[in-house]
Amino acid sequence: MELCKILHMNSGDGDKSYAKNSLLQQKATSKVWPIIKEAIEDYLCTENIPITTLSIADLGCSFGPNTLSILSDLIKQFHKTILLHHNKPIQYQIFFNDLPSNDFDSLFRSLSNFLEDLKNQIGTDFGTCFFNGVPGSFYGRLFPNKSLHFVHSSYALHWLSQVPEGMEMINKGNIFIDRTSPKNVIEGYYKQFQKDFSLFLKCRGEEIVSGGRMVVTLIGRTNESPPKEDFCYTFTLLNLAIYNMVKEGIIREGKVDRFNIPTFMPSPKEVKTEVLKEGSFIINRVEVAGIDWNAYNDEFDESNVLVDSSYCYAKCIRSVIEPLMITHFGEAVVEELFHRNAFKDEAD
Amino acid sequence: MELCKILHMNSGDGDKSYAKNSLLQQKATSKVWPIIKEAIEDYLCTENIPITTLSIADLGCSFGPNTLSILSDLIKQFHKTILLHHNKPIQYQIFFNDLPSNDFDSLFRSLSNFLEDLKNQIGTDFGTCFFNGVPGSFYGRLFPNKSLHFVHSSYALHWLSQVPEGMEMINKGNIFIDRTSPKNVIEGYYKQFQKDFSLFLKCRGEEIVSGGRMVVTLIGRTNESPPKEDFCYTFTLLNLAIYNMVKEGIIREGKVDRFNIPTFMPSPKEVKTEVLKEGSFIINRVEVAGIDWNAYNDEFDESNVLVDSSYCYAKCIRSVIEPLMITHFGEAVVEELFHRNAFKDEAD
């Protein structure tokens, strides 16, 4: 089945939902905020055009508290800066993009309260806001030529358009790049990232007006070590939990070998290289930030990671990849997997 | 509760769904098609502007086979006419609008197959198509100034923004304008229609580019007789069925008195008057067409109406107003109402 038909965060607002387990993404957004603010100010000061309608797109918006809180911050910042430089309120056309399997209905039903709150916060001189949902993959064109002024994407671009071809059976015992992954697995994932990210840049380059801005946040590696050394600890825990379930005969080994998660975490250099090679964008800033996955810790503390983060890991990762795993392993196995003491047994 | 939060057609594709019971709307669309075709050709011939992106909005699109079949016809007609006059394919930005309670998720998930079919039918010289969902009431602004080229709305504008104020308790024994409705009920409904329709025209007038076109189809009266004489037979059947349930003690009388369906069926003159008074639009054509509600009859035959249409009446009306009625009467009562031999007992 095509990835774009099944990939989505857990919907609704229950205990397992993305909406209830996206504090990590919220932390990331607050770290990125100074960069977003700078991009907005820079755009509105530099581009001396008479703006009547600002088109803003959030790519891979999902649906959760972050979807609306980042939008609220964006609009407030635009409003503040516009009043400073242009002196009159404008119209905002907001485009929420995600795959068609996203929970757009819940998002749409929350917009009327959101707008009311926003108007109360900003005051009477606030312009008009028009909301649009745009279903489709951002690894393809989503908007007409030169129709967007500002593009934002958070925690979405580490998802590839597909599992790299040929990964089946060669990444044995792993569901992602891990310490034991062979070289051709890493190469396969990297090539897919290059192809996807470059296409993403090309499409956005065609859609964004000249001088427009884009701020992208993704899960990446902190340095230039090969992916298997700076691996994602969460997936290692998941690999371990699955490995134990294979040993206990709950999951067949071949089933694990055929499953690979379609994400790649690029290094800062790998990101820069693609942007320069593709050529549509000029890089203003590339920044790396560490984030503590434990929802209760506000500051990143490496010594805490193994001690008390396993529960948060499990809940966060579940809300993100459960639909994908259920399609492959079935609901019962995935339920069991995420109930295994939230990976604690495996992490100890 | 606000009407815009509960009004929607029955979702999904089950036996009671709007998707499975919208043949009537399909018949209406095919009757209107020559007018739509003329409007498209007229627009593209008269307006000699270099179009790169055509913005088309379907207001009150709902979700069912008609949503996509009318869009398919629209795009094919635009494509044909554009190739004739402009000689190169263009980009289409399609906006699906309905209230936030609409089944947008199902609509979005059907778009990828729809686009594939369309491309197969049109061929390789077809332009690009960008889809957007726009949640909100069309009795308010939905789009930026001068951003739409063509607006279509079918079977939506007879819905008012709300039940006219003060209708509670004065339209006794009826849930809509019927033979026994007092004069002030008819006046109240008409005033609400004037207010709503005029606001609709004002908003669209601001959103549509100069020279753009709009084609609206709604359920109306065939002539200038007062609404209670040229009443809607379906609602009379519904009134009768409810009246019998009150007599049997299944529904309390006061509950019926407090429920009124927020629709008004204007006469051709009432429509024209508002358009002229509001002033944003020039009328090209106002047409009246009779449609046989019996799904199995292709041609309108008045003598058939009472004989074999009751089943179709019930199913069609159910798919449209059930969510609204359930909110007021509860699920059990509405289930019973629509199971009463599809109104047959009452119609005999």
Side-chain angles (χ1 to χ4, degrees), chain B residues 17-29 62-67 315-316 319-320:
Chain B
S17 68
Y18 173 74
K20 282 274 164 69
N21 295 284
S22 44
L23 197 65
L24 173 74
Q25 289 84 343
Q26 186 193 320
K27 282 185 177 185
T29 306
S62 188
F63 173 62
N66 299 329
T67 314
K315 285 190 79 175
C316 181
S319 75
V320 170

Side-chain angles (χ1 to χ4, degrees), chain B residues 90-320:
Chain B
I90 59 157
Q91 298 178 112
Y92 298 91
Q93 192 165 29
I94 311 295
F95 296 95
F96 295 103
N97 155 259
D98 212 315
L99 291 173
S101 45
N102 183 46
D103 189 1
F104 278 102
D105 279 350
S106 298
L107 172 60
F108 284 0
R109 284 160 203 175
S110 69
L111 289 174
S112 125
N113 287 344
F114 166 75
L115 191 60
E116 211 164 301
D117 288 350
L118 195 66
K119 280 180 179 166
N120 286 338
Q121 286 167 45
I122 292 185
T124 46
D125 63 351
F126 175 56
T128 325
C129 232
F130 305 114
F131 297 114
N132 298 261
V134 183
S137 165
F138 47 53
Y139 295 124
R141 285 290 300 272
L142 295 165
F143 306 94
N145 294 341
K146 309 282 166 223
S147 62
L148 299 175
H149 300 96
F150 191 87
V151 170
H152 173 257
S153 177
S154 184
Y155 269 69
L157 260 161
H158 46 267
W159 287 102
L160 301 171
S161 69
Q162 59 172 77
V163 174
E165 270 170 36
M167 284 304 104
E168 287 199 2
M169 311 312 283
I170 64 167
N171 196 19
K172 279 191 184 301
N174 293 318
I175 59 163
F176 182 64
I177 297 171
D178 208 341
R179 279 182 183 150
T180 57
S181 296
K183 204 179 150 200
N184 52 356
V185 168
I186 298 169
E187 281 170 1
Y189 268 94
Y190 181 46
K191 272 193 188 144
Q192 188 66 46
F193 163 76
Q194 288 180 300
K195 193 179 155 195
D196 285 343
F197 191 50
S198 158
L199 181 59
F200 173 86
L201 293 166
K202 184 176 175 289
C203 293
R204 301 299 86 75
E206 290 165 0
E207 292 164 356
I208 298 177
V209 299
S210 169
R213 296 293 191 275
M214 175 160 79
V215 181
V216 166
T217 312
L218 45 72
I219 307 183
R221 310 200 304 286
T222 50
N223 56 46
E224 302 308 321
S225 318
K228 67 197 254 179
E229 285 168 32
D230 188 9
F231 57 89
C232 177
Y233 183 66
T234 318
F235 287 127
T236 298
L237 289 181
L238 204 59
N239 267 340
L240 272 167
I242 290 174
Y243 174 73
N244 285 342
M245 285 173 77
V246 169
K247 271 203 306 190
E248 291 165 33
I250 301 169
I251 309 177
R252 271 181 297 119
E253 201 172 348
K255 194 115 185 133
V256 177
D257 294 344
R258 281 196 306 279
F259 182 74
N260 286 287
I261 297 178
T263 63
F264 181 79
M265 286 130 196
S267 73
K269 196 178 157 196
E270 283 165 357
V271 169
K272 275 190 237 173
T273 305
E274 286 316 305
V275 177
L276 293 173
K277 208 165 67 186
E278 196 279 324
S280 297
F281 289 88
I282 295 163
I283 299 175
N284 286 351
R285 282 172 74 170
V286 176
E287 303 280 343
V288 176
I291 292 182
D292 184 354
W293 284 55
N294 189 331
Y296 306 103
N297 295 339
D298 269 343
E299 291 306 315
F300 183 66
D301 178 357
E302 208 158 333
S303 66
N304 266 337
V305 167
L306 282 175
V307 185
D308 56 4
S309 295
S310 56
Y311 183 69
C312 300
Y313 274 160
K315 285 190 79 175
C316 181
I317 207 82
R318 178 175 198 165
S319 75
V320 170

